Amino acid sequence: MSFLPDSSAQKRPRARPKPDPAPDPAPDAEAAPRALEIHRRLCGVYGCPIPYFHDFDPLSELISSLLSHRTRNAESGRAFKALRARWPDWAAVMAADTAAIEETIRGVTWPELKAPRIKAVLAAVAERQGELSLDVLKAMEVEAARAWLEAIPGIGPKTSAAVLAFSTLRMPALPVDSHHHRVAQRLGLIGPKVDVGPSHAILRAQLPADWSAQALYDNHEVLMLHGQQVCHHRAPRCGACVLLDLCPTGRARKELR
């Protein structure tokens, strides 16, 4: 995202971590087989199939995903519950005062931006559908459903994939969050300059076209969990990684020690 909340000039900027040694500049010819081997090993560590973490309808998942951007799951979850507790349905949220929504979701990152965005997205769904429902997506193929969602300002590839994959639609889409993206980049599955948005198509193309929704969900979850538990942003635990022999970044880090 290009926007950032204004920070106090009095605050001292934190020192940036040293950049990782650059992995291969682009995915190599063996990206697809390596992606499958990475999936196999990580499933062995984190236990596939992984249960879905909730059963939201598609519209509720859309709001949940908008709240979660650059926000820890615990905070975005609390904000989502606060919205549901304060207003009876999403129509009431759409009609609510923006300042009231912002106050209700104040625990998330950038509530001042997310509050008007939530109202605008709900209004766009209502205008296109004549009601606040995303049931129209049920009859669509994955790419058509994603295109329908991404035509709404404020909805990008991560959010569209999350709505299809995480909601009760249970469609075979592959979301890529910041942890997933970091791990894939360090493994050389995507190039070092590939942003999160464009990475969705690249990483999906490396996996079998006929994979089920559960298999794609597992792939996202194991890469995300690995990023959270082992392949940390600042101090990755390369010595404890089951993927070290497949990881150009990890091998380079070990050689520098």
Side-chain angles (χ1 to χ4, degrees):
M1 285 237 173
S2 59
F3 49 80
L4 285 171
D6 192 19
S7 58
S8 169
Q10 303 300 317
K11 288 184 179 178
R12 240 177 166 181
R14 289 190 299 181
R16 292 186 178 181
K18 292 181 180 179
D20 290 312
D24 298 335
D28 58 44
E30 299 299 314
R34 287 173 61 241
L36 289 176
E37 177 61 13
I38 288 163
H39 178 87
R40 185 189 69 79
R41 292 191 196 182
L42 292 181
C43 274
V45 173
Y46 299 105
C48 298
I50 295 175
Y52 284 88
F53 52 88
H54 57 221
D55 293 295
F56 288 165
D57 66 87
L59 187 60
S60 295
E61 181 59 52
L62 174 57
I63 303 304
S64 175
S65 296
L66 292 173
L67 289 169
S68 71
H69 182 72
R70 298 291 185 183
T71 301
R72 293 181 183 276
N73 290 339
E75 281 79 12
S76 64
R78 276 193 288 270
F80 181 86
K81 290 176 182 177
L83 284 176
R84 299 303 297 263
R86 185 164 183 176
W87 289 284
D89 52 33
W90 297 122
V93 174
M94 181 176 68
D97 182 70
T98 302
I101 297 174
E102 181 181 337
E103 190 274 334
T104 304
I105 65 171
R106 62 186 179 277
V108 302
T109 307
W110 307 320
E112 72 282 4
L113 298 171
K114 291 178 180 177
R117 176 167 295 175
I118 286 169
K119 281 177 62 73
V121 167
L122 288 170
V125 171
E127 182 178 357
R128 295 180 73 185
Q129 286 301 103
E131 60 177 347
L132 275 175
S133 169
L134 289 176
D135 286 348
V136 65
L137 302 177
K138 293 179 181 178
M140 296 184 185
E141 296 295 325
V142 169
E143 292 310 313
R146 293 188 67 179
W148 193 97
L149 287 166
E150 291 175 32
I152 298 174
I155 299 180
K158 177 188 170 185
T159 301
S160 71
V163 169
L164 301 186
F166 299 157
S167 77
T168 51
L169 290 172
R170 301 290 193 253
M171 293 171 73
L174 182 70
V176 180
D177 75 346
S178 58
H179 298 292
H180 185 160
H181 178 262
R182 179 175 68 253
V183 175
Q185 208 160 50
R186 286 175 173 170
L187 286 164
L189 293 175
I190 52 176
K193 295 183 180 180
V194 175
D195 205 353
V196 174
S199 75
H200 283 75
I202 298 170
L203 294 172
R204 178 62 186 93
Q206 293 169 4
L207 301 171
D210 61 354
W211 262 20
S212 67
Q214 178 70 61
L216 287 174
Y217 175 77
D218 288 344
N219 185 259
H220 165 72
E221 287 290 303
V222 296
L223 282 158
M224 180 189 71
L225 288 168
H226 200 62
Q228 291 173 335
Q229 298 183 24
V230 177
C231 195
H232 302 143
H233 173 58
R234 290 180 177 273
R237 298 191 296 118
C238 297
C241 182
V242 297
L243 304 175
L244 183 58
D245 61 308
L246 300 177
C247 182
T249 303
R251 293 197 305 272
R253 288 177 66 91
K254 295 286 278 187
E255 290 170 5
L256 288 176
R257 290 180 180 176

